[in-house]
Amino acid sequence: MPIATLPPDTRLLLIDDHQIYLDGLTLTLNTLCKGIQLDHARNASEAERQVQQHTYDLILLDLHLPDSSGLAVLEKLRVIDPLTPVAILTGSNNPSDMDAALRLGAAGFISKTADGQMLVSAALRLLFGEQVVMANEHQPLDRQTNARSLGITPRQLEILDLLAEGLPNKVICQRLSLSEDTVKTHLKAVFSALNCHNRTECVNTARKQGLISS
């Protein structure tokens, strides 16, 4: 996405108690657009006060803060301002942390090991309303964990694999010993989870999200 797609009054809140990381993150995200404003909070109290006083386009929240857990802060920020996307930015790749954050309404779960280009890309996607799940670049989330975060079941992953082979519903039914109505129900759920409207779009989106095995 080109820089010009973001308005110059875009405002982000970065919540982290490590000043060196905050400084680096600020330098990286300053490239998102001209005139961007990046506010800082180093603990939960500062973060809550900032969100009560200002309107943000995106909040990036560390999972561990000196006065509270990031998950507890996430819950409070979602109450104060339910419209602003909040993404967890953390060194953790624990699937349970990710599941908990997404259940509480996090817009994303992003590893602190992501490089500058990946962070800018993730921030842009979040600002444009996408959900972003990005693990350690050297330890990508397995597709089962990724699927679970989107509400996609193991059976639906099997159907996605067969869909990617270009197989019609009748053949998918035979392969998985399922009724045609059951397959249609699963496909409807997958389309909804991925916000897709046809089979081609569904397969393309699933590939991008690492949900198809080959």
Side-chain angles (χ1 to χ4, degrees):
M1 290 178 188
I3 289 177
T5 57
L6 290 178
D9 59 349
T10 298
R11 188 169 192 166
L12 276 64
L13 177 61
L14 314 179
I15 308 170
D16 197 294
D17 62 325
H18 294 93
Q19 189 60 50
I20 292 177
Y21 186 77
L22 268 180
D23 291 344
L25 188 59
T26 299
L27 285 172
T28 297
L29 297 181
N30 260 327
T31 63
L32 280 170
C33 68
K34 292 182 179 179
I36 190 171
Q37 183 161 342
L38 300 169
D39 294 345
H40 294 171
R42 294 169 183 79
N43 55 54
S45 298
E46 286 183 16
E48 290 173 41
R49 187 167 59 251
Q50 293 270 49
V51 174
Q52 287 168 342
Q53 293 175 349
H54 307 289
T55 299
Y56 291 100
D57 297 291
L58 174 63
I59 298 171
L60 297 179
L61 168 64
D62 187 17
L63 194 60
H64 302 290
L65 297 171
D67 58 342
S68 179
S69 75
L71 294 178
V73 176
L74 171 63
E75 284 190 280
K76 291 180 180 179
L77 297 186
R78 295 284 295 157
V79 171
I80 296 170
D81 184 0
L83 298 180
T84 299
V86 181
I88 298 295
L89 188 59
T90 178
S92 171
N93 277 309
N94 188 329
S96 63
D97 287 336
M98 184 197 70
D99 286 346
L102 296 178
R103 280 198 306 271
L104 291 172
F109 192 88
I110 305 168
S111 173
K112 284 187 173 182
T113 63
D115 61 27
Q117 185 176 355
M118 293 171 69
L119 284 172
V120 169
S121 174
L124 281 170
R125 290 170 60 193
L126 288 161
L127 284 163
F128 281 88
E130 292 185 42
Q131 185 180 68
V132 177
V133 178
M134 186 182 295
N136 184 316
E137 59 185 313
H138 301 299
Q139 298 175 338
L141 290 172
D142 67 83
R143 73 178 192 136
Q144 293 281 355
T145 301
N146 205 1
R148 189 166 63 249
S149 73
L150 295 169
I152 294 174
T153 68
R155 174 63 85 186
Q156 287 162 2
L157 279 181
E158 291 180 311
I159 292 173
L160 267 174
D161 285 339
L162 297 179
L163 200 67
E165 293 180 26
L167 301 180
N169 286 1
K170 287 185 178 181
V171 177
I172 293 175
C173 294
Q174 293 169 359
R175 291 277 189 95
L176 299 179
S177 299
L178 297 173
S179 71
E180 193 162 355
D181 284 343
T182 298
V183 169
K184 286 180 179 179
T185 298
H186 281 310
L187 283 174
K188 184 177 179 180
V190 171
F191 281 19
S192 177
L194 298 180
N195 193 27
C196 296
H197 302 92
N198 58 61
R199 298 164 81 93
T200 300
E201 183 184 8
C202 181
V203 169
N204 289 338
T205 300
R207 285 193 192 283
K208 290 176 183 176
Q209 302 214 22
L211 297 174
I212 292 175
S213 60
S214 60

